[in-house]
């Protein structure tokens, strides 16, 4: 049984394009976890219209090390990052993001229902937190 998105073993060439100009949303719990590791919220988060997103520095995610082409918090990265390149489309169905550099290598992979349900639950948490911020 697949318990998390990383179990799918999607192909990744580690190009860093998914960390470029990121608009990755992040939950309060994920922010708290990163703060517990010593990171300062105001340095790695930007809030736009109620959406908490990872900040971009020089065009890349705050946590992306461009010299090594790796995520500095890979083990603790937000769940949205762990799901990528799996996204929800306009019909609320899971698919591989066509903008991913590895789309051609991953687009034939069947995304298990349990993974899609996990992504939907995560998005619902993000949506609920946004609603609470913009009240």
């Amino acid at each position: 049984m697949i318990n998390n998105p990383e179990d799918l073993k999607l192909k990744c060439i580690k190009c860093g394009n998914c960390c470029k100009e990121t608009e990755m949303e992040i939950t309060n719990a994920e922010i708290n976890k990163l703060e517990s590791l010593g990171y300062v919220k105001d340095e790695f988060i930007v809030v736009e219209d109620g959406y908490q997103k990872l900040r971009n520095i020089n065009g890349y995610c705050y946590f992306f090390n461009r010299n090594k082409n790796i995520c500095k918090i890979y083990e603790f990265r937000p769940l949205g990052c762990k799901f990528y390149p799996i996204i929800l489309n306009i019909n609320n169905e899971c698919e591989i993001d066509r903008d991913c550099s590895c789309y051609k290598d991953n687009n034939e992979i069947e995304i298990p229902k349990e993974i899609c349900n996990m992504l939907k639950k995560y998005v619902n948490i993000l949506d609920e937190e946004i609603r609470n911020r913009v009240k």
Side-chain angles (χ1 to χ4, degrees):
M1 180 169 182
I2 295 180
N3 296 319
N4 68 62
E6 295 167 310
D7 290 342
L8 287 178
K9 306 288 186 212
L10 296 170
K11 181 171 181 176
C12 177
I13 60 171
K14 309 213 184 307
C15 64
N17 286 339
C18 55
C19 301
K20 188 175 183 179
E21 299 299 336
T22 185
E23 295 183 3
M24 185 60 66
E25 294 177 49
I26 184 169
T27 66
N28 293 329
E30 292 168 327
I31 290 170
N32 293 339
K33 176 62 178 174
L34 294 173
E35 286 182 309
S36 77
L37 297 172
Y39 293 99
V40 178
K41 176 181 175 179
D42 291 340
E43 292 178 6
F44 67 88
I45 291 297
V46 62
V47 180
E48 298 172 351
D49 299 323
Y51 293 87
Q52 293 180 138
K53 300 177 183 181
L54 292 173
R55 181 181 302 279
N56 287 289
I57 303 293
N58 297 321
Y60 284 84
C61 174
Y62 176 87
F63 295 109
F64 187 68
N65 180 325
R66 290 181 66 188
N67 294 328
K68 296 181 180 179
N69 233 30
I70 59 170
C71 176
K72 294 186 265 185
I73 58 161
Y74 189 82
E75 183 179 340
F76 304 103
R77 71 196 187 282
L79 193 53
C81 297
K82 291 179 182 180
F83 273 107
Y84 195 81
I86 302 169
I87 60 169
L88 289 178
N89 64 23
I90 196 160
N91 298 318
N92 205 37
E93 298 168 342
C94 288
E95 67 181 20
I96 302 296
D97 188 352
R98 294 177 189 276
D99 291 334
C100 176
S101 298
C102 295
Y103 172 77
K104 290 180 184 175
D105 296 317
N106 293 314
N107 71 328
E108 298 294 323
I109 292 174
E110 184 175 331
I111 302 167
K113 187 174 183 174
E114 58 263 27
I115 294 297
C116 193
N117 288 339
M118 286 174 61
L119 178 55
K120 288 176 182 180
K121 182 178 178 182
Y122 180 71
V123 169
N124 285 337
I125 292 168
L126 290 165
D127 288 347
E128 179 65 26
E129 289 184 3
I130 292 165
R131 282 191 293 276
N132 289 333
R133 276 192 295 280
V134 296
K135 281 184 179 180

